[in-house]
């Protein structure tokens, strides 16, 4: 048996596995679910179900497939506008998937149908109330039995601001939205950090044992264990406490995506999981170093912050088949697909090689974006996962029943509880 | 019962965070664990109810400057728990209370359209408006609304979401793999809406949901509330304990519909009611007496009295007489985050009535509060309760009921097992769901165009 079998519950334990000296360290795998798949022409592939993208059954089947593959978690993409920034009205392309569902509700809809996999919906922070999102993610944690997380996303698109009509967002200039540094970007990410801080404080605003149901004194709660969060920042104030008791995990994991220094700071300072987009292992090492520096600068060296590499994957039984699939998809779309993340086309074994090589650069996990759903998701769960298992690099059974447990994160103490 | 008897609509209200919900009973379960919601929802669906109903309150209540600890405290997020319940039910409508003050139309429209998709057409929205700065302290946008703006905000909020729901016709997604056309209409979802409260423009990103729009509920009995319901709601969640009051309300509200070009069937009137069952009427009355004393402890009686008196009355004996001092006039500063305190419109007059009642019946503070607050609506054997419910509906005091059990999560079990079959035997309640959507259950047609002529859209 080349792999380590992990057969005990680790909910409250920090050191949750004991790697054998001869064994590679296990890798963590997530998949990103978005529409018909990450490639813009995915919906035109055989096997795609483009007319079912707004049905519960479509999402339930995808998440069930991911859970069958023992994946750590799924992320569910979200955005506020109908089209990406800059592409509006008649100028838009009719051959792209349009329309989506609120990601938190999709995650909640599939939660009762699954039992182990983590559920990490996207929430846009720029136009939303941290109070609402905090209780929504806490509730997702209740309905999933401790499997909720949230990926926070900053919106810099002035068109998104117009949907709400409450604030204006200065245009960053063409092509800058994803890459620009500068005061606007920094301000919006500072706001995101405040937003996360409020959400986290609200999760802690009820101590775990606040509900006492003490018939003798007639008290349902011990009000000494409910706490005002009294956050005051440059952008908002929030009083608290939450209306929802502390979620089962205490603090559901928070994730963010970053391509450059400003979001790396947010990842290092405020999150449990960063999604990053290196295109080779050297760059992966440099990004990990940058995130670790921000983590240290925030005084969080002792905490676990995962850095997951994002990869778009086009899988085939042979390298040639995968390359042909990629070419076919690009031809359908009329352009070579070049997203922020590296696009891998090849076999599951080749992908396992790449994953292990980049893991050596310090990445602790990978978020795979199937180019086509469900095709590439099934290749991940039915080919990549067995390949990694053969190499002793991936679990053969779920070793925990919470997302924090799967990620090796201890259940945190409540910041408001007396030590 | 004749074949053309009115059909009763029934809904299950998840027990709320108030003293109607008895948490001290050994049978009382969690107010927050998902299993409690699953239990109530499955009971309601087993009994062929129209829908499950969730209330909402966005700040923990306070009294005398402290978080109120005598009632159940804490609840989940409405949308999130309803989306999860869609996975464990097939037909039951899923109704959530969502505030129009502490949300924005774009976001709420996305969430309801999503819930309607994920439940295959079972979403309903109880539109409420609150305005207190106390609750607003939890929100970046704050909470204050001037008096004249309150219903105006709700009206405009609802109208704005209807613009968003109606921004998709339902045929725009072509998804033709051969031709490569996914979206047949580049302007799908386009809106441009400018009114005093909202200034929004863009393209809505959730294509039309199975019901087109969620079923709209309005709660509240005020003049503005009635008119708002007549103009824009599909159902009204009300409280009218007696047949006479129910009939008067029913006639009044249904009479307002014609002005908006609507027929009486297009607005259902559903009072929230409580019930206590027993093998005999005497046993039911005895159980009701016990439950009332569980609901109103001595401490709770003092707290409820303070809500009217607007004073600290902690020094009074709940088993003694009413205070001789008068209520403090003006803004209620004792109890915060409670809709009920706003119903005491004339505290001095109410106090005078209570004193007279206490004197006439020789009631202590606790006994008086038990007498004047929240007495159960229907008490009796299953047969007697079924007959009373049916009388309400057949004589136009309501179109059905939103049942509020006093226990979580099993408080509806006995009703489902004993009263529902009797209503079915009478032919006044469905034995199977005839349709799939909540609009089907409520006998509502497809949503029509924006009804409020005052809405300005350009």
């Amino acid at each position: 048996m080349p792999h380590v079998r992990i057969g005990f519950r680790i909910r409250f334990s920090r050191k949750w596995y004991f790697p054998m000296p001869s064994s590679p360290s296990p890798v963590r795998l997530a998949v990103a679910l978005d529409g018909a798949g990450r490639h813009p022409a995915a919906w035109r592939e055989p096997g795609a179900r483009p007319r079912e993208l707004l049905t519960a059954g479509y999402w339930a089947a995808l998440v069930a497939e991911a859970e069958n593959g023992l994946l750590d978690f799924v992320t569910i993409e979200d955005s506020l506008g109908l089209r990406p920034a800059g592409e509006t009205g008649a100028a838009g392309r009719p051959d792209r998937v349009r329309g989506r569902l609120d990601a938190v509700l999709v995650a909640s809809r599939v939660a009762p149908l699954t039992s182990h996999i983590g559920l990490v919906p996207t929430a846009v922070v720029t136009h939303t109330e941290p109070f609402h999102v905090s209780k929504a993610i806490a509730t997702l944690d209740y309905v999933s039995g401790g499997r909720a997380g949230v990926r926070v996303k900053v919106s810099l698109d002035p068109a998104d601001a117009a949907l709400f009509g409450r604030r204006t967002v200065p245009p960053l200039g063409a092509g800058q939205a994803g890459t620009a540094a500068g005061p606007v970007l920094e301000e919006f990410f500072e706001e995101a950090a405040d937003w996360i801080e409020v959400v986290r404080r609200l999760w802690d605003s009820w101590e775990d044992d606040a509900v006492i149901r003490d018939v003798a004194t007639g008290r349902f709660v011990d009000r000494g264990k409910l706490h005002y969060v009294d956050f005051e920042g440059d952008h908002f104030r929030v009083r608290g406490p939450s209306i929802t008791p502390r979620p089962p995990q205490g603090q559901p994991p928070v994730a963010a995506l970053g391509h450059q220094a400003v979001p790396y700071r947010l990842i290092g300072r405020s999150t449990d999981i960063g999604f990053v987009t290196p295109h080779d292992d050297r760059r992966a090492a440099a990004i990990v170093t940058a995130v670790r520096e921000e983590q240290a600068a925030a005084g969080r060296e002792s905490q676990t912050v995962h850095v997951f590499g994002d990869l778009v994957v086009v899988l085939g039984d042979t390298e040639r088949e995968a390359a042909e699939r990629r070419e076919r998809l690009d031809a359908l779309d009329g352009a070579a697909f070049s997203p922020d993340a590296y696009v891998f086309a090849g076999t599951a074994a080749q992908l396992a090689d790449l994953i292990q090589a980049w893991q050596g650069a310090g990445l602790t996990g990978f978020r795979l974006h199937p180019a086509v759903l469900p095709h590439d998701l099934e290749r991940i769960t039915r080919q990549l996962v067995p390949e990694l298992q053969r190499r002793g690099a991936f679990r053969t059974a779920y070793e925990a029943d919470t997302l924090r447990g799967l990620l090796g994160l201890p259940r945190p103490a409540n910041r408001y509880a007396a030590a | 019962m004749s074949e053309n008897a009115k059909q009763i609509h029934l809904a299950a209200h998840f027990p709320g965070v108030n003293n109607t919900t008895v948490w001290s009973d050994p049978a009382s379960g969690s107010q927050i664990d998902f299993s409690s919601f699953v239990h109530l929802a499955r009971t309601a669906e087993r009994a062929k109810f129209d829908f499950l109903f969730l209330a909402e309150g966005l700040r923990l209540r306070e009294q005398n400057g402290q978080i109120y600890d005598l009632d159940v405290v804490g609840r989940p997020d409405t949308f999130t728990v309803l989306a999860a319940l869609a996975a464990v039910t097939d037909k039951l409508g899923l109704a959530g209370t969502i505030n129009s003050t502490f949300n924005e139309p774009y976001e709420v429209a996305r969430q309801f359209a999503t819930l309607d998709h994920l439940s295959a057409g079972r979403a309903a929205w109880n539109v409420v408006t609150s305005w207190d700065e106390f609750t607003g302290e939890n929100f970046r946008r704050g909470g204050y609304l001037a008096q004249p703006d309150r219903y105006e905000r709700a009206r405009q909020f609802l109208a704005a979401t209807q613009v968003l729901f109606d921004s998709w016709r339902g045929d725009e997604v072509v998804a033709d793999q051969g031709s490569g056309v996914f979206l047949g209409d580049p302007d799908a979802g386009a809106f441009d809406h400018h009114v005093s409260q909202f200034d929004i423009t863009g393209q809505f990103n959730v294509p039309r949901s199975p019901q087109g729009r969620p079923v709209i509920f309005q709660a509240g009995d005020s003049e503005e509330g009635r008119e708002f319901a007549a103009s824009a709601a599909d159902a009204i969640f009300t409280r009218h304990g007696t047949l006479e009051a129910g009939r008067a309300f029913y006639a009044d509200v249904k009479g307002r519909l014609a002005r908006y070009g609507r027929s009486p069937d297009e607005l259902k009137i559903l009072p929230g009611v409580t019930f206590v069952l027993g093998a005999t009427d005497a046993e039911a009355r005895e159980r009701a007496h016990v439950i009332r004393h569980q609901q109103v402890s001595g401490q709770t009686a003092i707290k409820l009295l303070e809500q009217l008196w607007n004073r600290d009355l902690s020094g009074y004996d709940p088993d003694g007489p009413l205070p001789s001092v008068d209520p403090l006039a003006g803004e209620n500063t004792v109890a915060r985050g409670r809709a009920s305190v706003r119903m005491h419109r004339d505290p001095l007059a109410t106090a005078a009535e209570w004193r007279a009642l206490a004197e006439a019946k020789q009631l202590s503070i606790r006994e008086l509060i038990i007498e004047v607050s929240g007495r159960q609506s229907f008490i009796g054997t299953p047969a007697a309760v079924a007959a009373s419910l049916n009388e309400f509906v057949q004589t136009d005091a309501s179109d059905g009921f939103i049942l509020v059990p006093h226990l979580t999560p099993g408080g509806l079990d006995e009703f489902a097992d004993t009263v529902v079959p009797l209503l079915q035997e009478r032919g006044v309640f469905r034995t199977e769901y005839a349709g799939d959507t909540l609009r089907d259950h409520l006998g509502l047609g497809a949503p029509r165009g924006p009804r409020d002529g005052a809405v300005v859209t350009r």
Side-chain angles (χ1 to χ4, degrees), chain A residues 19-188:
Chain A
M20 311 279 283
S22 59
S23 207
S25 55
V27 64
R28 293 189 170 83
L29 287 183
V31 288
L33 302 179
D34 184 10
R38 185 64 194 274
H39 196 288
W43 69 274
R44 300 182 65 181
E45 282 282 281
R49 294 187 278 162
R51 301 188 67 87
E52 298 173 27
L53 305 181
L54 304 178
T55 65
Y58 177 77
W59 293 94
L62 293 177
V63 178
E65 180 66 32
E67 186 168 71
N68 285 337
L70 306 177
L71 304 187
D72 289 78
F73 60 91
V74 296
T75 60
I76 299 170
E77 185 52 59
D78 207 352
S79 57
L80 296 171
L82 183 65
R83 292 186 170 83
E87 194 190 317
T88 55
R93 293 184 54 156
D95 62 336
R96 296 281 170 87
V97 168
R98 298 296 178 221
R100 61 164 75 251
L101 300 175
D102 179 275
V104 173
L105 300 186
V106 171
S108 190
R109 177 65 176 76
V110 301
L113 308 176
T114 52
S115 56
H116 285 89
I117 194 164
L119 302 166
V120 183
T122 295
V124 173
V125 305
T126 312
H127 302 289
T128 57
E129 292 283 356
F131 191 86
H132 285 315
V133 180
S134 177
K135 68 182 159 62
I137 300 301
T139 301
L140 179 62
D141 210 39
Y142 278 102
V143 303
S144 65
R147 296 182 288 124
V150 60
R151 179 219 153 180
V152 299
K153 181 175 170 180
V154 169
S155 166
L156 293 162
D157 185 352
D160 281 359
L163 302 169
F164 286 78
R166 293 195 55 79
R167 66 194 295 184
T168 53
V169 174
L172 287 173
Q176 285 187 317
T179 52
V184 173
L185 189 75
E186 294 203 8
E187 187 196 327
F188 275 62

Side-chain angles (χ1 to χ4, degrees), chain B residues 290-356:
Chain B
V290 170
I291 291 165
R292 287 299 292 147
H293 283 76
Q294 288 176 317
Q295 290 170 331
V296 184
S297 66
Q299 293 181 84
T300 296
I302 294 292
K303 293 293 182 188
L304 293 179
L305 199 67
E306 285 181 345
Q307 290 168 21
L308 177 66
W309 251 255
N310 196 20
R311 290 176 184 275
D312 181 344
L313 301 176
S314 54
Y316 283 81
D317 176 4
D319 297 320
L322 291 183
S324 50
V325 294
D326 279 332
L328 206 58
E331 186 195 352
N332 196 307
T333 54
V334 166
R336 314 187 74 185
R338 256 176 211 280
S340 55
V341 300
R342 292 193 290 268
M343 294 181 326
H344 296 313
R345 279 165 203 257
D346 185 350
L348 284 171
T350 308
E353 281 170 33
W354 287 8
R355 282 196 182 113

Side-chain angles (χ1 to χ4, degrees), chain A residues 51 78 80 108 128 228 240, chain B residues 62 80 106 110 138 140 174:
Chain A
R51 301 188 67 87
D78 207 352
L80 296 171
S108 190
T128 57
Y228 297 106
Chain B
E62 294 187 5
T80 311
Y106 191 84
R110 284 194 83 215
N138 281 337
R140 59 199 291 178
V174 178

Side-chain angles (χ1 to χ4, degrees), chain B residues 32-55:
Chain B
I32 190 77
D33 287 349
F34 186 54
S35 59
S36 292
F37 292 85
V38 172
H39 182 108
L40 187 69
R42 286 191 168 150
T43 304
E45 186 162 85
R46 168 165 66 83
K48 315 298 177 195
F49 274 36
D50 293 66
F51 59 92
L52 175 101
F53 184 96
L54 297 184

